[in-house]
Every structure is written in structure tokens, then in C-alpha cells.
């Protein structure tokens, strides 16, 4: 089926000077669903909301949560599946996995949501496990990970507190990844473990975010449903095969969120290849990946530095295991007039990734108690942020640097903002909001 996936590879420089030393070259890979799959109907959704209703959720938090759940129910189509698990010290199935079907059922489910009340402690792992049980009811699960094609599965996890048994939460995140269920892990307020929630999102193949005020729960829930409804291509994997003498130093997803991509075990006979699982591509967005190549000294001429292969499924067309490939070519030249200048868009993304890495490492330094190293890295990140014109995040970083230099702790709000905003190449506030029905 031609035209179901658009792939573009752009080098930071198409031609480089002949030198006697190694050089760095960045390659931006942009993957977008093609027109032939961007106009079809939405895939069916299989969604579970796992919601904290502990005592600290009392007041505006639980009220906003009920409102956000009602919005989700309004956004779902009759053939979509939805389940809701609520937890405090124990978990309860508010309602099991079922289709919306009609307006009568939608209203009935809203009534059950509106009975949610806040009390008790926080024990998240059993609720995550119960949520995966509900999702599996609508899935053809085999022993191989990421096998479910033809529907979009997601678990949305929201909490405002520190949970018991964090290790069990991570085990559930690993189980979610195994059966192909990304988790959208959301924390609200300031008294929750941001590192835990970030790890849950990453290990499940999903994402995590900071909900700064109760009113924004609605925005985050709507965004998740919109993302699910936009999925057009599934089980996307990227295989990078560098040519002899070429090394891959780093691979980062840079859109829609910045994240270091960890390669899986290379295929047999391709020890130097890197294979990374990208998951789903959304209509109108897709994903972009930045690869950092180290290229050796070579005589003048054009060379293939890597072969890129993409494997993917297109459920709407009943296509599985489709493949597309392209070669990445680089020219070495003696003539300075033929050496291309750096691509400004790619170098801007490199700067964003540099700021992200510095902020992430600074938070790791703080966890180890190395305040001086953390402060130094935050200062480096601040320079990158100011160069990008990201004044809002830069202001937060500058405030937290001042706190550290005065011997104070980093504020909870500042730490969470830095952890989650640093990876966004598109801000949540810039995305279109869902309209009420």
C-alpha cells in the first residue's frame, strides 16, 4: 500500500570538509502517517482510568477529577471501551471495561463517576494491576510484547501522593509494556514522587506529566483521548544500520517529547545495528528522532553512512509487518564552497536535547546529594534555554539555581516543572484543547 508512511532523513550538514579527525553529524528522521491513512476512521479505543481518591484529593482535586472523567466519557465513541479503577489504601472497580454504546449508558457511567469521594491512604500498585486486568479483557494478548493491533490501548494513572510499595508499581509498568499498554502517568500537586511517575511512564512505553492545578486535569485527560483517537500507524520500530567505521553515539526522540531511546538487542548478524521501538504514530504529528553519528576521516567523495529501516503496521488497511528503508548519504569535500552550513532547525533541536540532558543529570546529582554539580549543570541548561528563547522554563531554572546557591532545597514545584517541561518540544498549552459536547 503506497503512501501509508512518509519518512524523511535530513542531515545537519549534507557535506563536510575533509579532515584528519572524526566529526559529528546529526541526522533528523521524521516519520509521519501518509495521506492514505490520515483520512480514515478512528481505531477503537481501550482505555482504563486508574484514579487516586485518597484523603488528600479532597475538595477541588476530586471535583476536577470527576469533571475530567465526564469529559472523557463525552469524547468516546459508542464502540470504545472504558473502565475506571479508584484507589486509596485499597482499590475498587468503579465500573468494569465496557463499551459506551449509547447516551443512556454514557449518562449511567457519569453517575457512577460522580459518586467518587476522597478518603484514606495511597496504595497505587494493586490498582494498576486491576486496571491492566480490565484492559486485557478487550485484548488478544500473547507472550510477545506489543502484539495488539487494531485498537489503541492506554492506562491513565493519576495521583497526588506518595504510594506504598513503589517497586510493585514499576513491576506493573513493565507488565504494561509487555502487553503493549502505554501508561500516561500524571501527578497533581506537590506531594508525589515525580521520579517514580516518570519511570512508570518511560518503562511502559508511555509518558508522564505534571498537572500543576486541579483545573488542568481536564486538559490532560482530553489530550490523552485526542492522542489515542489520532493513532494511524502502530508497532513502529526503527532499525539503524551504520556503515563500517561509523558509530552511533546517541539516539533521541525529539518530537513530540524528548526522550533517550534505548536500543533493543541487535538482530543476529548485525552487532552494530540499533533497533528501537517507537510505538504509535498519530495523524498530523508522527514522531521525529535525532541520531548522532561519529564519522571517520575519509577522502573526498560521497558515502553511505547508514541504512534506515522502518517496520510498522497499518490496522485500517489490515497491513502488518510493513517495511520501508532509505540510505543516508554524506559527502566529504576539499572545497570550502561545497561544504554546507549547519541546518538551523536541526541545531536548534540539538540545543534542546543538550538542555534536556543537563537538567536530567542535574536532578540525578541532587538525588545523590551533589549540589555543586547539579548547580553547574543547571547553569549550563539555563544558557541553552535562553538561547532557545524558552524564557518561562529558564525563569524556573534560574529561581532554583538561586535556591541551591543559598543552601536551600529545590522547591517541589520547581523540581517537577524542570523534570517534565524540559522534555517538551511542544508545550501542552500550545496544543488544541478538546471542545465540550
Amino acid at each position: 500500500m503506497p503512501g501509508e508512511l512518509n519518512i524523511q532523513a535530513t542531515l545537519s550538514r549534507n557535506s563536510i570538509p575533509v579532515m584528519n579527525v572524526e566529526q559529528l553529524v546529526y541526522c533528523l528522521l521524521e516519520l509521519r502517517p501518509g495521506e492514505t491513512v490520515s483520512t480514515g476512521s478512528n481505531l477503537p479505543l481501550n482505555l482504563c482510568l486508574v484514579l487516586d481518591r485518597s484523603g488528600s484529593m479532597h475538595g477541588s482535586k476530586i471535583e476536577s477529577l470527576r469533571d475530567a472523567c465526564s469529559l472523557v466519557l463525552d469524547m468516546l465513541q459508542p464502540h470504545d471501551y472504558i473502565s475506571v479503577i479508584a484507589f486509596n489504601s485499597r482499590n475498587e472497580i468503579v465500573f468494569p471495561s465496557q463499551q459506551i454504546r449509547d447516551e443512556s449508558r454514557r449518562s449511567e457511567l457519569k453517575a457512577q463517576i460522580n459518586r467518587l469521594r476522597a478518603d484514606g491512604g495511597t496504595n497505587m500498585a494493586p490498582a494498576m494491576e486491576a486496571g491492566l486486568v480490565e484492559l486485557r479483557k478487550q485484548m488478544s494478548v500473547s507472550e510477545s510484547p506489543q502484539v495488539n493491533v487494531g485498537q489503541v490501548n492506554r492506562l491513565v494513572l493519576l495521583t497526588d501522593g506518595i504510594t506504598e510499595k513503589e517497586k510493585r508499581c514499576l513491576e506493573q509498568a513493565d507488565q504494561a509494556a509487555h502487553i503493549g499498554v502505554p501508561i500516561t502517568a500524571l501527578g497533581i500537586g506537590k506531594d508525589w514522587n515525580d521520579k517514580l511517575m516518570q519511570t512508570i511512564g518511560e518503562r511502559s512505553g508511555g509518558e508522564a506529566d505534571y498537572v500543576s492545578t486541579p483545573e488542568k486535569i481536564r486538559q490532560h485527560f482530553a489530550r490523552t483521548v485526542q492522542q489515542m483517537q489520532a493513532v494511524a500507524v502502530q508497532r513502529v520500530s526503527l532499525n539503524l544500520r551504520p556503515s563500517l567505521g561509523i558509530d552511533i553515539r546517541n539516539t533521541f526522540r525529539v518530537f513530540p517529547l524528548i526522550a533517550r531511546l534505548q536500543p533493543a538487542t541487535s538482530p543476529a548478524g548485525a552487532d552494530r545495528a540499533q533497533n528501537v521501538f517507537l510505538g504509535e504514530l498519530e495523524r498530523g504529528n508522527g514522531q521525529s528522532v535525532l541520531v548522532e553519528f561519529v564519522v571517520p576521516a575519509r577522502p573526498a567523495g560521497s558515502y553511505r553512512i547508514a541504512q534506515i529501516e522502518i517496520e510498522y503496521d497499518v490496522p485500517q488497511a489490515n497491513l502488518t509487518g510493513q517495511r520501508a528503508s532509505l540510505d543516508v548519504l554524506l559527502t566529504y569535500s576539499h572545497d570550502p564552497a561545497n561544504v554546507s552550513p549547519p541546518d538551523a532547525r536541526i541545531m536548534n533541536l540539538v540545543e534542546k536535547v543538550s538542555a534536556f540532558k543537563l537538567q536530567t543529570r542535574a536532578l540525578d546529582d541532587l538525588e545523590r546529594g551533589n549540589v555543586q554539580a547539579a548547580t553547574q549543570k543547571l547553569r549550563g541548561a539555563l544558557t541553552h534555554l535562553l538561547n532557545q528563547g524558552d524564557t518561562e522554563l529558564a525563569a524556573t531554572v534560574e529561581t532554583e539555581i538561586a535556591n541551591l546557591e543559598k543552601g536551600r532545597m529545590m522547591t517541589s514545584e520547581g523540581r517537577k516543572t524542570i523534570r517534565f517541561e524540559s522534555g517538551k518540544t511542544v508545550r501542552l498549552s500550545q496544543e488544541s484543547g478538546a471542545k465540550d459536547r
Side-chain angles (χ1 to χ4, degrees):
M1 178 181 175
E4 71 268 6
L5 182 64
N6 295 327
I7 309 170
Q8 183 173 347
T10 307
L11 289 175
S12 54
R13 290 191 296 173
N14 291 321
S15 60
I16 60 174
V18 173
M19 301 178 68
N20 293 324
V21 295
E22 294 179 333
Q23 299 181 64
L24 289 179
V25 176
Y26 298 93
C27 180
L28 179 65
L29 300 172
E30 297 173 278
L31 285 66
R32 304 286 183 270
E35 291 184 5
T36 56
V37 297
S38 292
T39 56
S41 58
N42 296 342
L43 295 172
L45 309 188
N46 181 28
L47 173 64
C48 180
L49 306 178
V50 178
L51 310 172
D52 189 342
R53 69 170 193 90
S54 61
S56 57
M57 289 289 293
H58 181 73
S60 61
K61 290 180 186 177
I62 197 71
E63 292 170 6
S64 295
L65 183 58
R66 291 193 294 256
D67 175 66
C69 291
S70 293
L71 174 61
V72 168
L73 290 168
D74 280 337
M75 295 177 69
L76 298 180
Q77 299 301 310
H79 60 269
D80 293 331
Y81 283 90
I82 176 72
S83 55
V84 175
I85 310 293
F87 67 92
N88 47 25
S89 298
R90 305 174 66 179
N91 63 278
E92 64 169 312
I93 301 174
V94 179
F95 53 81
S97 180
Q98 58 194 281
Q99 289 180 306
I100 297 294
R101 293 187 183 176
D102 53 34
E103 294 308 310
S104 175
R105 173 64 61 85
R106 201 187 304 267
S107 297
E108 178 185 330
L109 297 179
K110 284 186 180 181
Q112 293 183 59
I113 288 292
N114 287 332
R115 289 196 285 269
L116 283 176
R117 297 293 181 267
D119 62 75
T122 306
N123 190 8
M124 200 160 62
M128 294 172 66
E129 183 176 6
L132 293 178
V133 169
E134 294 303 316
L135 288 167
R136 288 172 71 111
K137 290 179 180 179
Q138 317 309 332
M139 298 167 65
S140 299
V141 179
S142 76
E143 291 303 312
S144 300
Q146 294 97 26
V147 296
N148 299 282
V149 181
Q151 68 183 24
V152 184
N153 306 297
R154 197 78 85 248
L155 187 150
V156 176
L157 173 66
L158 181 138
T159 187
D160 77 332
I162 302 295
T163 182
E164 305 173 24
K165 301 176 182 177
E166 293 184 351
K167 184 179 178 180
R168 284 193 60 194
C169 294
L170 296 178
E171 290 170 353
Q172 293 306 312
D174 291 339
Q175 177 62 21
H178 180 72
I179 64 174
V181 176
I183 296 176
T184 299
L186 302 172
I188 180 170
K190 59 182 181 179
D191 297 321
W192 51 280
N193 187 334
D194 44 288
K195 182 65 176 292
L196 173 67
M197 296 296 278
Q198 182 184 50
T199 306
I200 287 172
E202 290 176 351
R203 282 170 62 161
S204 69
E207 61 184 65
D209 211 345
Y210 172 31
V211 185
S212 56
T213 64
E215 295 75 24
K216 290 187 177 179
I217 300 176
R218 180 183 179 92
Q219 187 179 8
H220 284 267
F221 277 26
R223 173 176 172 264
T224 299
V225 176
Q226 289 173 328
Q227 288 176 323
M228 295 176 71
Q229 292 170 335
V231 170
V233 181
Q234 293 184 306
R235 292 188 66 203
V236 181
S237 62
L238 167 65
N239 192 28
L240 303 167
R241 295 192 179 96
S243 300
L244 188 64
I246 308 293
D247 290 323
I248 300 174
R249 178 172 292 181
N250 288 301
T251 306
F252 277 87
R253 181 188 287 113
V254 292
F255 181 87
L257 295 171
I258 299 175
R260 185 185 291 275
L261 296 173
Q262 299 295 339
T265 303
S266 299
D271 294 340
R272 299 178 62 255
Q274 288 193 6
N275 187 273
V276 293
F277 185 73
L278 299 180
E280 301 166 336
L281 300 183
E282 301 168 21
R283 292 188 295 269
N285 288 319
Q287 293 190 38
S288 298
V289 175
L290 188 68
V291 185
E292 182 179 342
F293 291 106
V294 181
V295 300
R298 280 183 175 168
S302 293
Y303 302 86
R304 184 180 76 178
I305 62 171
Q307 184 178 56
I308 310 297
E309 184 177 79
I310 312 294
E311 185 171 348
Y312 59 95
D313 296 331
V314 186
Q316 292 172 338
N318 295 317
L319 295 174
T320 59
Q322 300 299 293
R323 285 183 170 85
S325 61
L326 73 160
D327 292 335
V328 180
L329 303 178
L330 176 67
T331 299
Y332 289 71
S333 177
H334 282 298
D335 187 352
N338 293 332
V339 174
S340 55
D343 184 288
R345 184 169 66 107
I346 294 178
M347 298 316 295
N348 180 259
L349 288 171
V350 171
E351 188 136 22
K352 289 180 183 294
V353 169
S354 297
F356 170 80
K357 289 191 291 187
L358 285 167
Q359 291 170 91
T360 301
R361 291 169 182 169
L363 295 178
D364 291 340
D365 285 337
L366 283 177
E367 286 187 10
R368 293 189 289 265
N370 194 337
V371 176
Q372 182 178 357
T375 305
Q376 185 177 6
K377 290 182 177 65
L378 288 175
R379 285 205 167 279
L382 179 61
T383 299
H384 288 293
L385 292 170
L386 292 173
N387 288 341
Q388 298 165 32
D390 194 345
T391 55
E392 188 174 344
L393 184 54
T396 299
V397 170
E398 193 166 25
T399 298
E400 297 307 327
I401 289 173
N403 283 333
L404 294 174
E405 289 180 337
K406 293 175 182 177
R408 301 172 184 165
M409 297 286 290
M410 183 180 284
T411 67
S412 176
E413 296 90 337
R415 186 183 69 250
K416 289 174 170 58
T417 298
I418 290 170
R419 185 180 296 282
F420 295 106
E421 292 298 313
S422 64
K424 293 180 181 177
T425 45
V426 174
R427 301 296 180 198
L428 183 64
S429 59
Q430 295 174 335
E431 298 178 3
S432 58
K435 294 182 179 180
D436 295 349
R437 286 171 56 112

